[in-house]
Amino acid sequence: MWRKLIKTDMVKRYSFKLFIRVAIFLFVFVLYIINKELIKEILNMKFSFGIINYGITPMHVIWLVFMVMMITHLFPNDKLSMALRKNKKETYVEVPGYSQLELMKFVQEQNIKAWSIMLLWLCFNAIWGMLYLFGMIDGADLFMLTVFYFLCDYICILFFCPFQTFIMKNKCCVNCRIYDWGHFMMFTPMLFIKNFYSWSLFFTALIVLIHWEIMYAKYPQRFWSGSNQTLQCMHCKDKTCQWKKAGSGAKQKEKG
């Protein structure tokens, strides 16, 4: 049964960002359908001379948006979700007397699940890489796939996430072990295109992932609701899980 949603600042912000992502996806999809060759030309042009010859195109703007988006994840501000900011010292509120043994058990279980997802993701995208290397698809196809992943990222956050549902089993994105893997997953197809724009996106995303993993390894207590009060439902200010909860008719749990 559907319920009235709580319109928190984060819900409003994510709703607006979802609208922007849908608009970007539709723009690229229309361009992909009517002028696929233009996408291929932009992907193949050199970084410096490309702007001189073509001017600043919407594709350059999209590339810049992607880059700025990833850089903000390396230096998160207070307007970002707690799912991202939980690795910061300032947001950590210790649960008194939490069990170190339970924390280590949690970390071990989550690591197994997380790296299972990584293996699955790399194997799945290796298919696209092989198709590209054998000339069955081209750079424009990989870019369109990337933009599709870009849209799916927010669909997973707001509506349905197969990784959460079938593998990780975490109760929400705020508690997600692999929350900041999104950009790496998004730009995986770009690895196969030998170009400044594609590789800059992929390797910046890789830096974001490595930064996240370093923080997780150093401060695992910040990532578990059993040791960090901020991640418990009763203290959550994001409430971005509401569409998932409402759609399934499930009651929001208040346990940590």
Side-chain angles (χ1 to χ4, degrees), residues 20-157:
I20 296 298
R21 292 193 180 211
V22 170
I24 291 175
F25 172 80
L26 292 176
F27 167 78
V28 175
F29 182 70
V30 171
L31 183 61
Y32 174 80
I33 296 298
I34 66 176
N35 198 351
K36 184 178 178 181
E37 291 301 317
L38 177 60
I39 297 179
K40 292 166 65 175
E41 287 181 27
I42 295 175
L43 288 173
N44 292 328
M45 69 186 181
K46 302 297 182 181
F47 175 66
S48 57
F49 296 106
I51 294 179
I52 294 175
N53 294 336
Y54 289 85
I56 298 178
T57 68
M59 301 294 286
H60 291 108
V61 175
I62 292 174
W63 171 83
L64 182 61
V65 169
F66 285 159
M67 291 298 292
V68 171
M69 180 176 60
M70 287 189 285
I71 291 172
T72 59
H73 277 226
L74 291 173
F75 306 98
N77 57 67
D78 293 340
K79 293 183 179 181
L80 296 177
S81 169
M82 183 53 64
L84 178 64
R85 293 189 294 117
K86 61 175 175 262
N87 64 3
K88 297 179 64 177
K89 180 180 179 181
E90 295 79 9
T91 60
Y92 175 61
V93 180
E94 182 178 328
V95 173
Y98 73 87
S99 171
Q100 283 285 347
L101 182 61
E102 287 298 316
L103 172 61
M104 291 301 103
K105 181 181 178 181
F106 168 81
V107 169
Q108 186 178 47
E109 291 176 349
Q110 290 291 296
N111 282 342
I112 292 173
K113 294 177 180 179
W115 296 112
S116 297
I117 289 176
M118 177 62 78
L119 180 61
L120 179 65
W121 185 254
L122 292 178
C123 289
F124 174 71
N125 282 275
I127 298 173
W128 302 110
M130 294 298 293
L131 292 175
Y132 176 74
L133 293 175
F134 283 111
M136 300 177 69
I137 61 175
D138 54 37
D141 298 318
L142 291 179
F143 183 75
M144 189 67 246
L145 179 63
T146 295
V147 177
F148 175 68
Y149 287 165
F150 174 64
L151 174 60
C152 287
D153 184 42
Y154 264 41
I155 292 176
C156 285
I157 292 174

